[in-house]
Amino acid sequence: MRLILVRHPAPQVTSGTCYGRSDVAVASHEMASARASLQATLPAGVPLYASPLRRCAGLASALAQDLPSSGLHFDARLAEMDFGAWEMQPWHAIARADIDAWAADLAWYRPGGGENVLAMAARVDAFLGDLLREQHETAVIICHAGTIRLLSALQARLPLEETALLAARSAHKIAYGATVVVDF
């Protein structure tokens, strides 16, 4: 199965803000730009899956109108990581000791008391298992950088903790509105 992973458009948050699971909006011009670019490159007639957070759901709904699809499905397992009390805080305002604690234990530490990377990996892996059982040739998934890094890391078929660490240690170089193709 070929997965075309699409990162949502740039959200309306101040640069340097930790916004993980927060349901932030996207400016209309950002949405229109991503929509135009993607409708020219994504295949029609394939199922669309998306995180229910509006920065993904809005783009997925628009693309479902633009590209005849075999269904639009929202799945909470595709949401970005929950950073708990860190959500909507500037990264520079988060205590250095807390960030260092997370860096020292990437898989198990719960940033801001939220979700750890291993828990996120487990839910993304469960989504992937269900999707693979559907046996589509191709599917488009509108989601978040963290989710994309986990889906990419799952391709290696490592134990889940190793997958979580691989994703957490991957450089974050996924632009807003960019696509990453992963074959399973």
Side-chain angles (χ1 to χ4, degrees), residues 81 101-109 116-122 146 149-154 156 158-172:
M81 193 164 100
W102 184 28
D105 189 7
L106 287 171
W108 291 95
Y109 186 81
N116 64 38
V117 177
L118 186 57
M120 183 179 177
R149 291 186 354 233
L150 278 165
L151 285 165
S152 297
L154 284 164
L158 298 170
L160 202 53
E161 186 170 353
E162 290 178 48
T163 298
L165 289 171
L166 177 63
R169 291 179 179 142
S170 297
H172 179 312

Side-chain angles (χ1 to χ4, degrees), residues 1-4 132 137-138 155-157 180-184:
M1 175 184 294
R2 172 161 284 184
L3 301 182
I4 302 171
L132 292 174
E137 185 175 318
T138 303
Q155 187 181 30
R157 301 284 193 218
V180 173
V181 177
V182 180
D183 290 312
F184 284 90

Side-chain angles (χ1 to χ4, degrees), residues 29-55:
H29 70 278
E30 292 286 348
M31 186 65 73
S33 176
R35 180 180 183 179
S37 172
L38 291 164
Q39 72 182 357
T41 60
L42 293 177
V46 301
L48 292 171
Y49 294 84
S51 160
L53 298 179
R54 51 185 169 156
R55 58 191 183 266

Side-chain angles (χ1 to χ4, degrees), residues 7 11-12 29 45-46 56 68 76 82 99-100 102 110 124 155-156 168:
R7 186 175 183 204
Q12 290 181 302
H29 70 278
V46 301
C56 298
D82 180 356
I99 292 184
D100 289 345
W102 184 28
R110 296 175 50 227
V124 171
Q155 187 181 30

Side-chain angles (χ1 to χ4, degrees), residues 9-93:
Q12 290 181 302
V13 295
T14 304
S15 180
T17 299
C18 175
Y19 59 90
R21 179 84 48 103
S22 295
D23 198 10
V24 294
V26 171
S28 59
H29 70 278
E30 292 286 348
M31 186 65 73
S33 176
R35 180 180 183 179
S37 172
L38 291 164
Q39 72 182 357
T41 60
L42 293 177
V46 301
L48 292 171
Y49 294 84
S51 160
L53 298 179
R54 51 185 169 156
R55 58 191 183 266
C56 298
L59 179 60
S61 295
L63 290 171
Q65 292 174 5
D66 299 336
L67 306 166
S69 75
S70 62
L72 173 58
H73 315 274
F74 297 102
D75 196 310
R77 296 174 294 180
L78 294 171
E80 185 59 276
M81 193 164 100
D82 180 356
F83 286 91
W86 292 9
E87 292 281 333
M88 300 309 295
Q89 300 299 312
W91 282 102
H92 66 78

